[in-house]
Amino acid sequence: FLLGLRHRGRLAALAIAVVVIAVGVPLWWKTTETYRAWLPVTQINQLAQLQLQLSVEVEVVFSRGTLTAEHQKKIDPTHTRLEEHPVDETTVLSYRYETRYRTATIMEEDALNQPTAAETDESLHLLSESPCGSVVIYVVPESTTLLPEGVSVYVGQRRTALLRAGRPMRVGVGLKEVLAHLETQVQQVLKVMSFSHSDITAALSDRVRLDYSSREGLADSMRAFKSSPGYEITFSLLNPDPKSHHLHWDIEAAVQSYIQPLLSKLAPVADFSLDSQILYYAVLGVNPRFDPSLNAYTLNADSLSHVINPVEARLGSSAASSNPVLNFLLYVPDARHSPLYITDHRKYTVVSNAFSSPRWGGIMVYNVNGTELPVHINIDMTRVMGVFLAQLRLMLGVQSSTPPPGFLVGPCGPAGLADWELDRLLWSRSVENVATATTTITSLAQLLDQIGNIVINDNIAEQVSAAVASLQLAVGQLEAGNLGLALQYSKEAILHSERAFFDPSLLHLLYFPDDQKFAIYIPLFLPMCVPILLSLLKMAAEARQRRRERQDKKE
């Protein structure tokens, strides 16, 4: 009986061990493993080595009297120029210019006979609208009256430019010399109307470290807001003395007349929301100084940095939205500190009586006249919106660089933004979005590779895959010269990459590291495993003992 009981005990211990090893351990391993969905790691590594090619379609149209009949027969209708600019070890930029040469049509010749360059620009636009990102250059005779004396290039509000034919394009000059001289002028036009290498490298600031050669270059890079799917724009009227000043501003009509046309044209770039408010008893927080030479109070440039913080506390919270907020403040000084002027570092009064703060907004001081209080004032919104519109352009990244000598830039039109200015912004935003999205995705991939305890659920994998696909499409559209589609895909890449990167399930603190896992599991499994292990050791010892006894009997 005792032998049978001992035999059953050995079988029971063996069965328990088999169940634990064959069933329990795999089941425990499977139920406690970290789920990690598949990610396109190979494609992400390829994006880490970013090679961007920007293609621009350029059309050069020769008007009557700029090319000889012999040159028209010999000229190659197309010409491709490729520039390559390595930025760092992982980023290479290349620019491809597809130039097409042709002569002007009869209708275009009629348009070029308009009295002024602005009317010619509008007439040419009515004939045909150039696609987004392209540039059309009309070469006009040297003796043309469209361009003022001393002006060699006129840039209108569309995507066209008028270029005066120079001396090398006269009769008797070879075609090679004509095109070489023309190529130099075309390159200058493209740097103004399309993009420059400095603009594109500045858009890569999230990916590469840039070395700004001047304080102006650093200021320009810091002034504009980073690319975002949307922006909140707030107009505020600050009235520190409502008892003395009864202010009225027709902000709704002013926004519809001056701001909304610009925002409508910028609709491909981002979504915009507008609101306004009036703040009473709101002061700047800095005591202005009285200047006897001006017989007025002044705020110097050194004190302007202390103006924003006290005012910002009264502007309200922007926590309801994750989009950047652009603040535009109109300040009417109280009677004790009126008139109030802003002075620059050289102690000269600023003409606009306004200043802007990088990536925050702008403030304008509006002085009122009147000795009898209270004063009822209708604010001149035309003057105010002219200042705010210029500041808004700078905050959104619309560059207003000084044109080269001999260039004349026409008015930007009723929208406050020329078509070619929009194209320059789209080029920069597209490249910036691609650079930001690739940095986000590659950082996320490195993080997930280094920390194996983070769960990668299917939603994150879908967002990463969608971001990679959008990035590939954006890069392809930039290479094809489809600027509008490139911007659209780059915006989608930004959205998908940020959703994946900021997913709440990626918080590392939600998961235990390996040492904590052992601290939890050992008290649970050790009491169960020790008896089983001792029984197996005892069974192994008894088996060895029986084997020795059999061998002894045989001997």
Side-chain angles (χ1 to χ4, degrees):
F1 176 77
L2 292 176
L3 291 175
L5 184 62
R6 185 179 301 174
H7 180 67
R8 286 196 297 271
R10 288 198 295 267
L11 292 178
L14 185 62
I16 293 173
V18 169
V19 171
V20 169
I21 296 174
V23 179
V25 172
L27 182 63
W28 166 77
W29 185 269
K30 186 65 178 177
T31 55
T32 58
E33 72 174 352
T34 301
Y35 178 74
R36 296 172 71 85
W38 177 84
L39 297 178
V41 179
T42 304
Q43 299 174 355
I44 294 175
N45 293 334
Q46 292 175 354
L47 290 173
Q49 302 291 329
L50 187 61
Q51 295 186 354
L52 277 180
Q53 183 179 98
L54 280 59
S55 299
V56 183
E57 293 183 3
V58 185
E59 192 172 20
V60 178
V61 183
F62 294 96
S63 63
R64 188 183 298 114
T66 56
L67 272 185
T68 63
E70 183 181 357
H71 289 168
Q72 293 180 22
K73 295 177 182 179
K74 293 182 179 180
I75 192 170
D76 191 354
T78 59
H79 173 68
T80 301
R81 180 168 59 90
L82 186 64
E83 297 180 6
E84 188 168 307
H85 301 270
V87 180
D88 60 7
E89 298 81 4
T90 61
T91 307
V92 178
L93 294 173
S94 60
Y95 310 133
R96 183 178 181 180
Y97 300 96
E98 293 279 353
T99 306
R100 187 164 67 94
Y101 300 103
R102 67 176 179 87
T103 56
T105 63
I106 297 176
M107 299 182 67
E108 288 174 332
E109 290 288 356
D110 293 338
L112 292 171
N113 289 326
Q114 296 293 327
T116 63
E119 293 176 326
T120 298
D121 180 61
E122 186 63 26
S123 299
L124 292 172
H125 173 71
L126 295 176
L127 291 178
S128 63
E129 185 174 356
S130 303
C132 181
S134 64
V135 177
V136 182
I137 302 173
Y138 288 88
V139 182
V140 296
E142 185 180 7
S143 59
T144 182
T145 58
L146 287 175
L147 304 181
E149 186 177 355
V151 174
S152 58
V153 176
Y154 174 82
V155 178
Q157 58 178 297
R158 308 299 180 181
R159 297 182 176 93
T160 58
L162 303 179
L163 189 151
R164 188 194 298 270
R167 292 184 178 180
M169 301 183 70
R170 293 178 177 176
V171 180
V173 181
L175 179 61
K176 188 176 181 180
E177 290 78 7
V178 169
L179 294 181
H181 175 73
L182 182 64
E183 183 70 19
T184 303
Q185 294 178 303
V186 168
Q187 291 182 24
Q188 290 183 332
V189 174
L190 291 177
K191 289 181 180 180
V192 173
M193 298 185 64
S194 185
F195 59 81
S196 63
H197 180 61
S198 59
D199 294 339
I200 302 303
T201 52
L204 296 172
S205 58
D206 285 345
R207 181 181 176 89
V208 298
R209 185 174 182 179
L210 304 177
D211 183 17
Y212 295 99
S213 57
S214 63
R215 294 180 58 184
E216 290 78 8
L218 179 60
D220 291 339
S221 67
M222 294 296 294
R223 181 183 293 114
F225 278 84
K226 288 291 185 181
S227 179
S228 174
Y231 297 93
E232 311 284 335
I233 302 177
T234 301
F235 295 96
S236 303
L237 174 62
L238 276 59
N239 187 358
D241 191 6
K243 294 182 179 179
S244 302
H245 296 153
H246 297 171
L247 305 177
H248 172 72
W249 70 336
D250 193 357
I251 185 63
E252 184 175 355
V255 166
Q256 289 297 325
S257 300
Y258 299 98
I259 303 298
Q260 194 58 52
L262 173 63
L263 300 185
S264 299
K265 199 163 186 177
L266 289 172
V269 179
D271 298 325
F272 298 92
S273 63
L274 298 168
D275 58 69
S276 63
Q277 59 183 343
I278 300 177
L279 301 178
Y280 297 103
Y281 300 103
V283 295
L284 295 181
V286 176
N287 293 323
R289 296 181 178 180
F290 184 77
D291 189 343
S293 62
L294 297 175
N295 194 24
Y297 291 88
T298 60
L299 284 174
N300 57 38
D302 296 330
S303 63
L304 296 179
S305 59
H306 305 288
V307 170
I308 294 176
N309 287 341
V311 174
E312 194 172 19
R314 295 286 309 273
L315 295 180
S317 174
S318 59
S321 174
S322 59
N323 295 327
V325 180
L326 287 76
N327 298 284
F328 295 98
L329 279 59
L330 181 64
Y331 179 75
V332 180
D334 57 81
R336 295 177 302 165
H337 301 99
S338 184
L340 177 63
Y341 296 104
I342 297 175
T343 58
D344 56 18
H345 292 282
R346 295 177 298 176
K347 306 303 180 182
Y348 295 132
T349 58
V350 178
V351 176
S352 62
N353 210 22
F355 71 96
S356 60
S357 177
R359 298 184 185 179
W360 185 85
I363 298 179
M364 177 182 179
V365 177
Y366 189 92
N367 292 307
V368 298
N369 298 321
T371 56
E372 296 182 1
L373 302 177
V375 181
H376 295 270
I377 303 158
N378 288 320
I379 296 177
D380 183 5
M381 298 305 295
T382 301
R383 179 160 65 96
V384 172
M385 284 299 163
V387 174
F388 285 165
L389 186 64
Q391 293 177 341
L392 179 60
R393 283 167 50 94
L394 293 176
M395 296 296 164
L396 294 178
V398 180
Q399 301 293 333
S400 297
S401 56
T402 304
F407 276 63
L408 175 62
V409 178
C412 53
L417 185 71
D419 291 351
W420 59 270
E421 288 181 312
L422 176 62
D423 289 349
R424 284 180 66 97
L425 182 61
L426 296 186
W427 285 116
S428 298
R429 291 303 193 198
S430 299
V431 173
E432 181 182 352
N433 291 342
V434 169
T436 303
T438 53
T439 302
T440 303
I441 287 297
T442 53
S443 300
L444 178 60
Q446 294 173 1
L447 176 69
L448 298 178
D449 182 62
Q450 294 173 359
I451 306 177
N453 292 320
I454 296 183
V455 172
I456 307 176
N457 57 40
D458 293 334
N459 179 53
I460 295 175
E462 291 175 0
Q463 295 294 339
V464 171
S465 299
V468 171
S470 298
L471 278 171
Q472 292 174 337
L473 290 172
V475 172
Q477 295 300 329
L478 284 174
E479 185 174 351
N482 299 325
L483 184 54
L485 290 176
L487 178 66
Q488 178 182 344
Y489 288 128
S490 68
K491 289 168 60 178
E492 294 177 1
I494 285 284
L495 292 175
H496 291 305
S497 62
E498 290 187 349
R499 287 173 184 171
F501 193 87
F502 295 106
D503 192 283
S505 64
L506 290 179
L507 294 177
H508 181 51
L509 294 179
L510 294 177
Y511 308 97
F512 294 107
D514 292 334
D515 54 349
Q516 294 187 16
K517 287 183 179 179
F518 285 116
I520 293 173
Y521 289 133
I522 286 178
L524 296 177
F525 289 107
L526 192 61
M528 179 183 67
C529 293
V530 168
I532 296 175
L533 183 61
L534 292 177
S535 299
L536 292 176
L537 293 176
K538 185 177 181 181
M539 291 171 60
E542 291 177 353
R544 286 195 298 270
Q545 181 66 27
R546 286 194 300 269
R547 192 180 300 111
R548 288 198 208 96
E549 291 176 357
R550 289 196 209 99
Q551 291 177 355
D552 293 340
K553 289 180 181 180
K554 289 180 180 180
E555 294 176 355

